[in-house]
Amino acid sequence: MQSTKKKGLKRFFSFKRKYLAIPYSVFLALFVIVPILIILVYAFTDTLDDGTLIFSFKALTSFFTSPSKINVLVVSLFIGILNTLICLLIGYPLAYLLANNKYNKNKILVMLFVMPMWINFVLRTGATRDVLSFLGINGGNHPYLATMIGMVYNYLPFTILPLYTTMLKLDKSQIEAARDLGCNPVQTFTKSILPQSIPGIVSAAEMVFMPTISSYVISDTLSEGKVTLFGNIIYLNFSQSQWNEGSFMAFVMLILVGITMLISKKFDKGEARISANNLW
Amino acid sequence: MVNQENELLLTSPSEKKARFKRKRDKVIAQFIIWTILIVMYIPILVLIAYSFTTADNIGTWTGFSFDLYARLFTSKTGNEIMVALGNTLLLALASSLISVILGTTGAIGAFYSKKRTRTAIESVTQIPVVNAEIVIAMSLTVMFVFVGSYLFGGANVFSFWTLLAGHVILSLPFVYLSVKPKLQQMDPALYEAALDLGCTQRSALFKVVVPEIMPGILSGFLLSITLSLDDFIVTAFTRGSGLLSGEKTIETLSTLVQAKIKKGPIPPEMRALTTFILIAVFLIVLGITIYNNKAAKKNKVRKGRE
């Protein structure tokens, strides 16, 4: 009798590998799931004067009836898409050249392109602002241009990395076969290189799009507060203690995140990002 | 014979033309690569160039001097910068260590769990990866206020520890995701063999599994450091009073520089620090590249032997 009890206790306390996931899961539950649930509660409630929350769609109606908030959504999406496109347009050919043995054999050069990621981005943003205002482009006269330049400067290294790793994996014999079978350079690109590099494009776009929309420092610094993106308005709502409005904006962002996640789900995201980071 | 034929071919006009074309393409490619690289580095390089003069603004040169480097260690602003640097490094190291331990154990645990548990853990892991940083920051802060007002009777819970939790959340999923593929690549027989040879479960884990997944752990650690060093939003939202030198609110490099550039140009002393940052980053990244190249070559040799 006693021995079975002892055994049971021992079994209960004995080490099992799957127990190792417990601290991780608890941490994620406490600091990821609970905060998001609280945000959802705030997004669909209203705070009374004594601090109690009552269920209400006030934040929702204030979002859809306020032209300035809709404007933030439109401007954010526009800048997000434009920045993603510019970064891809520069990053894609660059990554192709860097990964191609014919044009570049220097690994250190690749490293130089991603090195800005390791230099504090607020510092880089400040430097970009100071140099731009020396050149006569500042938030006062060209807020959108200055913001765009700052965005491209900041996010280009993030696009180069996933694109470069995809380019390294391009099936060279397939490209050669396309050429041998009579494809001209344009056809070779559209029929062989482009389809093969789509996972890289998707993970590059993913690394630029959402962070651009939700960025705070870059738009705030380079446009001198004239360009308001999602990040800026959430920050503003929060610093003015408008938690319900801020939470609803965060909820809208969560929906946007969900949409981009669904779009990129087909392309096995995450993997590319990690393999990109395993480069060094 | 073959050689002669080759030489003949090489010197034929069409081959010469092809060689010229290849060379020309390479020159154009190198030109594009270097132009983008230089344009990318202009702001940083300008900042560093102006660290050798004492002017308050970029664009005015008041003569060459090392004054700013001295001021970095002596002036009041210099002192602020140094405290912020200390905070930044302390936070990056602490949060990365915690992330690595939690993330690695989490990945191992999930790997040996039932499929349903694993899927659940992995979907939650994806949330901070894809989520916007500002939403992470805001939701954490709202929760901390909530906890402070309902569990601690209105106390302000913001401190170094809330900041640390915020940074751990930023990097934790990335550690998990870098360790996971290494676990999948691992030969499962190794662990069984260790048990058969008399290892306890725990020692088999430490002596067999951990060394196998070490590259994943290391890259997760590096990634955590990068994410923590670069963070502004989560820091700005979740910080409280500092651990070092009894500050009222903890300042990291990001928050300090942001506060300064909101009012004016980058403080001159910061330009001197930029030089050190660039050199340090360059050396670290160079070291890692060389190490990786060596490891890759070693792997190639090993594969060749097999």
Side-chain angles (χ1 to χ4, degrees):
Chain A
M1 184 65 199
Q2 214 187 344
S3 80
T4 49
K5 198 180 176 189
K6 223 177 187 178
K7 226 177 179 179
L9 262 180
K10 209 178 166 192
R11 190 176 290 162
F12 184 74
F13 282 114
S14 78
F15 174 78
K16 274 204 189 110
R17 288 176 291 179
K18 64 179 178 191
Y19 292 163
L20 285 172
I22 293 171
Y24 179 79
S25 313
V26 169
F27 199 88
L28 280 187
L30 278 182
F31 293 103
V32 176
I33 298 176
V34 171
I36 287 180
L37 291 179
I38 293 181
I39 281 279
L40 292 181
V41 168
Y42 271 99
F44 292 101
T45 50
D46 192 20
T47 316
L48 298 179
D49 288 334
D50 61 346
T52 46
L53 297 168
I54 51 157
F55 179 77
S56 120
F57 286 120
K58 204 177 149 197
L60 180 131
T61 43
S62 110
F63 176 78
F64 283 108
T65 51
S66 142
S68 70
K69 281 184 179 168
I70 296 291
N71 195 37
V72 168
L73 179 66
V74 173
V75 169
S76 298
L77 286 175
F78 178 73
I79 289 189
I81 292 170
L82 190 62
N83 188 33
T84 311
L85 286 179
I86 296 175
C87 284
L88 284 176
L89 278 178
I90 302 173
Y92 190 92
L94 183 68
Y96 179 78
L97 294 178
L98 283 173
N100 200 322
N101 252 340
K102 268 190 282 182
Y103 306 120
N104 177 52
K105 287 186 182 122
N106 196 346
K107 272 260 160 80
I108 293 176
L109 206 56
V110 181
M111 172 209 97
L112 283 178
F113 273 104
V114 292
M115 210 175 75
M117 279 170 33
W118 280 47
I119 301 169
N120 188 289
F121 93 99
V122 184
L123 185 61
R124 277 187 288 131
T125 305
T128 312
R129 201 256 334 249
D130 287 1
V131 169
L132 280 180
S133 64
F134 172 68
L135 295 173
I137 302 166
N138 56 46
N141 55 22
H142 299 291
Y144 284 92
L145 179 66
T147 306
M148 276 321 297
I149 295 176
M151 291 287 182
V152 174
Y153 259 100
N154 194 57
Y155 289 107
L156 187 59
F158 292 91
T159 40
I160 292 173
L161 210 48
L163 286 171
Y164 174 77
T165 29
T166 322
M167 296 292 184
L168 280 182
K169 284 188 229 145
L170 285 184
D171 184 355
K172 300 225 168 58
S173 40
Q174 197 201 74
I175 298 169
E176 220 148 86
R179 273 193 202 124
D180 289 348
L181 293 171
C183 280
N184 62 31
V186 176
Q187 285 170 324
T188 319
F189 177 74
T190 53
K191 303 245 157 155
S192 173
I193 300 175
L194 191 62
Q196 285 189 58
S197 51
I198 278 179
I201 295 175
V202 171
S203 63
E206 211 186 316
M207 296 198 79
V208 178
F209 184 65
M210 282 315 289
T212 304
I213 288 183
S214 61
S215 67
Y216 168 77
V217 176
I218 299 173
S219 40
D220 190 57
T221 308
L222 282 148
S223 74
E224 290 169 17
K226 288 198 182 66
V227 176
T228 312
L229 303 182
F230 256 97
N232 305 88
I233 201 154
I234 292 178
Y235 198 103
L236 191 76
N237 278 328
F238 189 79
S239 59
Q240 293 171 348
S241 311
Q242 298 168 320
W243 284 20
N244 301 106
E245 280 90 342
S247 296
F248 190 79
M249 294 302 268
F251 172 68
V252 175
M253 283 236 63
L254 277 173
I255 291 174
L256 282 177
V257 168
I259 294 172
T260 46
M261 220 175 136
L262 281 180
I263 292 173
S264 57
K265 208 177 177 183
K266 297 179 207 160
F267 304 99
D268 202 9
K269 40 152 298 310
E271 302 275 328
R273 197 183 292 193
I274 290 303
S275 67
N277 279 299
N278 278 349
L279 176 65
W280 34 276
Chain B
M1 267 303 272
V2 179
N3 261 343
Q4 248 175 357
E5 246 175 35
N6 262 344
E7 258 166 47
L8 273 176
L9 271 175
L10 277 176
T11 44
S12 75
S14 67
E15 186 66 19
K16 243 185 191 167
K17 213 173 166 186
R19 258 162 85 194
F20 171 75
K21 218 177 146 192
R22 240 178 288 147
K23 220 171 198 175
R24 187 199 61 188
D25 285 355
K26 198 183 169 178
V27 170
I28 296 174
Q30 287 284 326
F31 177 76
I32 296 172
I33 291 173
W34 281 98
T35 312
I36 298 176
L37 191 65
I38 290 166
V39 172
M40 233 168 90
Y41 273 89
I42 283 177
I44 292 288
L45 292 180
V46 168
L47 212 59
I48 288 175
Y50 277 92
S51 72
F52 297 105
T53 187
T54 51
D56 282 338
N57 278 306
I58 277 175
T60 39
W61 184 267
T62 53
F64 184 88
S65 88
F66 283 114
D67 218 32
L68 287 183
Y69 290 87
R71 266 163 63 184
L72 182 60
F73 297 99
T74 53
S75 75
K76 195 173 154 273
T77 318
N79 187 42
E80 274 178 276
I81 292 174
M82 282 304 172
V83 171
L85 180 67
N87 284 333
T88 310
L89 294 176
L90 180 74
L91 185 61
L93 275 179
S95 69
S96 304
L97 275 177
I98 297 174
S99 288
V100 158
I101 293 168
L102 271 179
T104 308
T105 50
I108 295 174
F111 187 70
Y112 294 115
S113 296
K114 281 189 211 115
K115 192 167 181 242
R116 201 193 289 166
T117 322
R118 193 168 60 234
T119 318
I121 291 176
E122 266 162 27
S123 346
V124 181
T125 300
Q126 282 299 333
I127 298 175
V129 176
V130 292
N131 203 353
E133 226 178 290
I134 186 112
V135 179
I136 298 176
M138 190 189 168
S139 59
L140 272 176
T141 312
V142 171
M143 183 185 73
F144 288 144
V145 174
F146 208 79
V147 167
S149 54
Y150 289 98
L151 298 184
F152 293 98
N156 179 8
V157 293
F158 290 93
S159 61
F160 179 78
W161 306 109
T162 50
L163 179 57
L164 189 63
H167 277 234
V168 170
I169 272 304
L170 271 188
S171 49
L172 189 57
F174 289 96
V175 176
Y176 182 99
L177 291 172
S178 354
V179 171
K180 187 187 133 196
K182 299 289 164 205
L183 281 165
Q184 288 166 333
Q185 287 160 19
M186 189 180 66
D187 184 353
L190 278 177
Y191 179 80
E192 303 300 330
L195 289 187
D196 287 348
L197 292 170
C199 270
T200 62
Q201 287 206 339
R202 216 167 305 202
S203 65
L205 211 55
F206 275 105
K207 289 186 176 153
V208 177
V209 178
V210 172
E212 278 291 306
I213 59 175
M214 207 51 186
I217 298 177
L218 279 180
S219 71
F221 181 73
L222 279 176
L223 198 52
S224 303
I225 295 256
T226 321
L227 289 168
S228 171
L229 287 181
D230 225 29
D231 175 72
F232 168 78
I233 286 288
V234 171
T235 314
F237 271 79
T238 59
R239 66 190 165 150
S241 53
L243 276 191
L244 296 179
S245 72
E247 310 143 86
K248 267 217 172 110
T249 30
I250 192 166
E251 291 280 4
T252 64
L253 276 183
S254 299
T255 57
L256 180 75
V257 175
Q258 200 269 343
K260 299 273 179 200
I261 61 178
K262 209 160 164 87
K263 290 180 208 140
I266 291 178
E269 289 88 348
M270 204 61 224
R271 307 203 291 253
L273 184 69
T274 309
T275 314
F276 292 127
I277 293 179
L278 187 74
I279 293 172
V281 167
F282 181 75
L283 289 179
I284 292 170
V285 178
L286 189 71
I288 294 169
T289 314
I290 291 171
Y291 173 82
N292 272 358
N293 275 357
K294 262 191 189 157
K297 262 182 200 158
K298 219 177 177 181
N299 259 340
K300 246 185 204 166
V301 172
R302 210 193 270 167
K303 268 186 191 153
R305 273 190 200 141
E306 278 165 9

